[in-house]
Amino acid sequence: MRPVDLAREHGLSAQAVRNYEDAGILPPADRSDTGYRLYTPVHAQALRTFLTLRRGHGYRDAAAIMRAVHGGETETVFRLVDAAHVALAADRETRTEVASALGALSGPVPAPVGSFTVGELAHRLGVHAATLRAWETEGILRPGRDRATGYRVYGPETVRDAEIARQLRRGGYPLPRVARFLDTVRGAGGTDELDRFLRTWQERITTRGRNLVAGAAHLDEYLVMCEKDGTR
């Protein structure tokens, strides 16, 4: 097969296929008497495997997996595959924690009005000022500073975060989990957008999981072909 024959299946250019070989993603091809690359079904499967792996692992790790296969570094292959699944499991767990934390909110968070000093906010929440400072240290709260006095000033968004943190702490959530949850709330644009954000997050996790499974299937087939062909 010519480079263009491999490229056509995936909508690639022939040059892209040659680049993949030069990068070690495809095994070295034999050459014709005139110097043209001669590809085989093994190369075709290598390209399918890489492109499928890339959807779940990203370009860099997918390329590293293919190079490890061609270098006979079996342990590296499986270490890279395992690492992707570990990362996905951690992402899934974090998403579950955030969703659980959202459900732990005992009711709607009161809409904050105006700004507060540390003492005023502590009184509003029924906590000690030292508690608010501890939450700031953990990254839960991000108060501003009064330009004239240098004192902490808690604006509407920070008051909202404090209200959420108080309810989560009442639900028994440790400070690091409260901090992670609030980072997600901020990234989602507030609690009103969080449900949509969580759905999108779950869809992304599911899609990556399917892509990892598909990549593993192609990789297993490719490993078998390489063993029979003596490519590695």
Side-chain angles (χ1 to χ4, degrees):
M1 286 184 284
R2 302 165 300 168
V4 68
D5 297 321
L6 267 67
R8 188 178 295 115
E9 178 183 349
H10 306 285
L12 301 172
S13 68
Q15 185 58 51
V17 173
R18 289 189 286 266
N19 291 343
Y20 286 149
E21 181 189 345
D22 294 340
I25 291 169
L26 305 184
D30 291 332
R31 300 281 182 145
S32 68
D33 293 339
T34 55
Y36 290 109
R37 289 175 168 88
L38 300 175
Y39 291 126
T40 69
V42 172
H43 293 91
Q45 181 60 30
L47 183 57
R48 293 187 203 103
T49 299
F50 167 71
L51 294 176
T52 308
L53 286 171
R54 188 176 65 180
R55 293 200 297 267
H57 293 265
Y59 180 94
R60 185 187 65 180
D61 287 346
I65 290 170
M66 298 303 291
R67 292 190 193 102
V69 171
H70 301 144
E73 302 169 13
T74 305
E75 287 302 312
T76 299
V77 171
F78 293 119
R79 176 178 57 78
L80 290 168
V81 171
D82 290 347
H85 285 278
V86 169
L88 180 62
D91 194 25
R92 191 186 305 277
E93 182 178 353
T94 299
R95 191 264 176 202
T96 299
E97 287 185 355
V98 169
S100 296
L102 179 62
L105 295 176
S106 59
V109 178
V113 178
S115 299
F116 296 80
T117 66
V118 63
E120 291 169 342
L121 182 57
H123 178 74
R124 174 187 173 98
L125 299 178
V127 300
H128 295 291
T131 298
L132 297 181
R133 296 190 184 96
W135 291 357
E136 181 182 347
T137 300
E138 290 288 336
I140 294 170
L141 301 182
R142 301 172 182 177
R145 294 279 179 170
D146 185 287
R147 292 183 178 180
T149 65
Y151 294 152
R152 292 175 175 84
V153 176
Y154 297 82
E157 290 186 0
T158 308
V159 175
R160 177 208 65 188
D161 293 347
E163 297 279 5
I164 293 173
R166 179 190 61 173
Q167 294 191 50
L168 292 179
R169 289 294 287 158
R170 285 178 175 176
Y173 285 84
L175 293 179
R177 288 179 64 185
V178 175
R180 288 198 300 271
F181 174 72
L182 283 169
D183 280 342
T184 302
V185 171
R186 296 181 188 112
T191 53
D192 292 341
E193 297 295 327
L194 194 54
D195 282 339
R196 183 185 307 170
F197 176 81
L198 288 172
R199 286 195 300 272
T200 301
W201 191 354
Q202 182 60 56
E203 290 169 3
R204 187 171 65 249
I205 289 172
T206 299
T207 297
R208 190 180 183 206
R210 290 182 67 100
N211 286 336
L212 287 177
V213 170
H218 279 278
L219 178 60
D220 181 64
E221 184 176 349
Y222 183 56
L223 289 171
V224 171
M225 290 184 70
C226 288
E227 289 171 354
K228 291 181 178 178
D229 188 70
T231 302
R232 65 187 184 95

